[in-house]
Amino acid sequence: QSVLTQPPSVSAAPGQKVTISCSGSASNIGSHFVSWYQQLPGTAPKLLIYDNYNRPSGIPDRFSGSKSGTSATLGITGLQTGDEADYYCATWDGSLSAGVFGGGTKLTVL
Amino acid sequence: QLEESGGGLVQPGGSLRLSCTASGFTFSEHAVSWVRQAPGKGPEWLSYFSSSRSTIYADSVKGRFTITRDNAKNSLFLQMNSLRAEDTAVYYCARDISSLAFDVWGQGTQVTVSS
């Protein structure tokens, strides 16, 4: 059971927009930066968003991140079939003195 | 890039040493971490080694795993002792650019703990 809560699954049609939530607490999201990852089957996670809303070089602006209080959100616009993957949020937890990942959200592009 | 090695099959209670070799960037200037992923599960952060040589461990491995680095060899290591079945996972090393922000990952190395 992760300290960061994500919906198990989300779905949307190609071209549409989807958001994935990540709910935490004051000791993690509330006081530390949040990162988001995309993981395709059989591959390592890929960093999409860091420091709440920054995109690494090469990540298209279809991907966006935001944070409010103890929750963070990943947004994906212009959905493509290639976006079908598992998505994870991650941050530091000051109470645990440990890094934590969310349980993951499986995105289906219908 | 990063490349892990050293995984394999080990009996419960056994030990294994993972290596991670970096290339293409100045290894000594970056913090690095070990992250694992059990079958069908999400990633789990294990340990962190900063550029200033401080280390942190997850409670699940504290006292059993030891992270070290050799900047002269651009290498990161994870010594794993007292291995348990629940340590079975793919182990990744990753470059840490911010709070749990890993921008470069290795391909992973499989560790299986079974009798």
Side-chain angles (χ1 to χ4, degrees), chain A residues 5 9 36 48 51 81 90 107-108:
Chain A
T5 301
S9 63
W36 288 92
L48 295 177
D51 290 356
T81 56
L107 169 64
T108 300

Side-chain angles (χ1 to χ4, degrees), chain A residues 46-98:
Chain A
K46 176 182 180 181
L47 183 65
L48 295 177
I49 299 290
Y50 69 98
D51 290 356
N52 301 333
Y53 55 78
N54 292 314
R55 287 186 309 276
S57 174
I59 301 301
D61 59 6
R62 299 189 299 108
F63 295 91
S64 64
S66 64
K67 188 180 95 166
S68 178
T70 59
S71 292
T73 302
L74 173 70
I76 311 172
T77 59
L79 278 172
Q80 304 172 1
T81 56
D83 296 331
E84 283 203 338
D86 293 322
Y87 292 82
Y88 297 94
C89 58
T91 188
W92 185 256
D93 190 298
S95 293
L96 299 175
S97 293

Side-chain angles (χ1 to χ4, degrees), chain B residues 16-54:
Chain B
L16 215 52
R17 187 190 194 217
L18 305 183
S19 300
C20 169
T21 302
S23 61
F25 66 95
T26 306
F27 180 70
S28 62
E29 295 181 355
H30 290 272
V32 280
S33 285
W34 286 99
V35 176
R36 71 183 177 188
Q37 190 164 24
K41 303 292 186 181
E44 178 189 10
W45 172 84
L46 297 179
S47 184
Y48 164 92
F49 203 126
S50 75
S51 58
S52 58
R53 308 198 72 80
S54 62

